[in-house]
Structure formats: structure tokens, C-alpha cells
Amino acid sequence: MLTKNRLAILAGLCVATLSANAGTLKKDGWTTGSCGDKPETPDLNFDSIAEFNDSIAAFNAWQREEAATYFECLTKDANADMKKITDSVNAQKKEHDDMVEYLNGQAAEFKKQAEDKKTPPDQ
């Protein structure tokens, strides 16, 4: 059986695990903890066809490299945070279930001892 002290330690470990390297959740959304700032979108240059073509090439390279890398990191961080949250909730639920099982066992044992001590009325 798990004691209250062991359950408290388990809960503390769950909270510590959840807070390590996590992103930040606020009212207005979630931000990554490790991907840095979103890469700035390059401007398109409409001064000439050559400059436009060059700016399109730069934009395409930015999409392939910087933006793709950033959003891959963002997705990886978000999935890791969701897993941490799910694992934490599951651990807390297990902690609760273990405590309920422990207390129900204690109550059943007490009830049995109380019933064993009863003597039948004289007839």
C-alpha cells in the first residue's frame, strides 16, 4: 500500500516533471520554451523583375529552411508539453485512485474488527 508520504512525493515529482523545459500557457495561448522567436518573413521587392525574382527565391528559401525548422520545433515542443500534461493528469488520477483504495481498505479492516468484537445478544 502507498502511504500518504509516498503519495506526496509522487505528486511532487509529477509537478517537477511538468515544469521542466515546458512552454508557457497563458490566457491568450501557448508559447514554446525552446524554439526562440518566430523567424521574420522576408519582404518581397517589386522594384524590378530581377529583384522580385530574387526576393521570391529568398522567400522560398526562408519557407523551406527557417520557417519549416521553427514550426517543426514548435510542433515537437507542443507535443512534448501535451504529453507532460497528460502524464501528470494520469499520475494524479492514479495517486487519487491509490489513496481511495488505501482508505477503503482501512475502512473495511476497521469495520471487520468492529464486527468481530461485537458479541451476540444473550438469548
Side-chain angles (χ1 to χ4, degrees):
M1 289 283 167
L2 289 174
T3 64
K4 288 183 182 182
N5 289 339
R6 287 183 184 165
L7 290 173
I9 291 169
L10 177 63
L13 290 173
C14 292
V15 170
T17 299
L18 181 62
S19 62
N21 298 321
T24 303
L25 185 61
K26 299 179 189 175
K27 276 185 170 182
D28 59 345
W30 174 89
T31 57
T32 178
S34 66
C35 298
D37 294 332
K38 181 179 175 183
E40 198 169 315
T41 308
D43 292 329
L44 296 181
N45 187 334
F46 297 98
D47 291 340
S48 71
I49 292 175
E51 289 175 325
F52 176 75
N53 288 339
D54 289 345
S55 66
I56 289 293
F59 176 79
N60 289 338
W62 170 83
Q63 272 190 298
R64 263 190 328 274
E65 298 160 14
E66 293 177 54
T69 300
Y70 175 77
F71 284 108
E72 285 172 18
C73 179
L74 199 68
T75 300
K76 182 180 173 185
D77 274 9
N79 287 335
D81 279 358
M82 287 187 286
K83 181 177 180 339
K84 288 176 189 176
I85 291 167
T86 300
D87 290 350
S88 177
V89 169
N90 289 338
Q92 290 178 52
K93 176 70 168 104
K94 179 166 180 4
E95 173 188 335
H96 169 79
D97 292 347
D98 289 347
M99 180 57 75
V100 168
E101 181 181 338
Y102 171 78
L103 293 175
N104 283 336
Q106 294 291 312
E109 186 177 319
F110 179 80
K111 181 180 176 187
K112 182 179 181 324
Q113 288 174 359
E115 288 172 350
D116 289 347
K117 288 182 183 180
K118 280 186 182 177
T119 56
D122 292 334
Q123 295 190 358

